[in-house]
Amino acid sequence: MNKALSGLGLAMRAGKLVTGDEVVLKAIRSAEAKLVIVAGDASANTQKKYRDKCGTYKVPLMVGFDRDMLGSSVGKPERVVLALTDQGFADMVRKAIAKTSEVEYIE
C-alpha cells in the first residue's frame, strides 16, 4: 500500500477523517475539510458535484484511486468520498500523492 493510503488510515484512526456524502458536504460547507478525495471510479455526476462544491468553498480536491482502495485504506467497505479535517494530515497525503501516478486530478 502506498504512503498516501497509509496516511488516510492513520488519519481515520486519529479521528481526522470523515467519510460519506452528507458528512463530507457538511465539512466542506463549515470549512472543516482541508482536503477532499473522490474515487476515480465515482460517477461523473459525483465528481462534478464535489469539483463544484470544493471550488466554491476553496477546498483542495483530489480525484484518484478507486473506491475499493479508499475503503480498505480506512478500514471500511467501499468509499467514494473522504475528507481530511486536519491540515497536517492533508499536507502529508498531498505530498505522498504528488509522487504517485494513481491520481488523475488535483486542484
Side-chain angles (χ1 to χ4, degrees):
M1 188 183 300
N2 77 31
K3 194 168 182 168
L5 293 173
S6 297
L8 292 176
L10 191 60
M12 183 70 173
R13 289 189 296 281
K16 302 295 183 183
L17 185 140
V18 293
T19 178
D21 191 52
E22 289 302 315
V23 182
V24 171
L25 285 173
K26 183 179 174 191
I28 292 169
R29 286 188 200 109
S30 66
E32 287 178 44
K34 307 301 181 202
L35 174 66
V36 174
I37 302 171
V38 177
D41 60 349
S43 72
N45 197 26
T46 299
Q47 290 184 22
K48 181 185 181 327
K49 175 168 85 172
Y50 284 98
R51 198 169 273 141
D52 293 347
K53 192 63 76 175
C54 288
T56 300
Y57 288 91
K58 298 186 178 21
V59 175
L61 170 73
M62 183 220 114
V63 177
F65 304 111
D66 63 32
R67 59 184 73 210
D68 292 323
M69 291 171 80
L70 291 177
S72 65
S73 72
V74 297
K76 303 221 181 235
E78 300 178 348
R79 295 293 152 175
V80 175
V81 62
L82 308 169
L84 290 158
T85 58
D86 179 81
Q87 191 63 54
F89 280 115
D91 292 341
M92 179 181 71
V93 169
R94 285 178 80 165
K95 192 180 296 181
I97 285 169
K99 298 175 184 165
T100 183
S101 63
E102 296 182 46
V103 174
E104 304 158 17
Y105 178 82
I106 301 175
E107 212 176 67

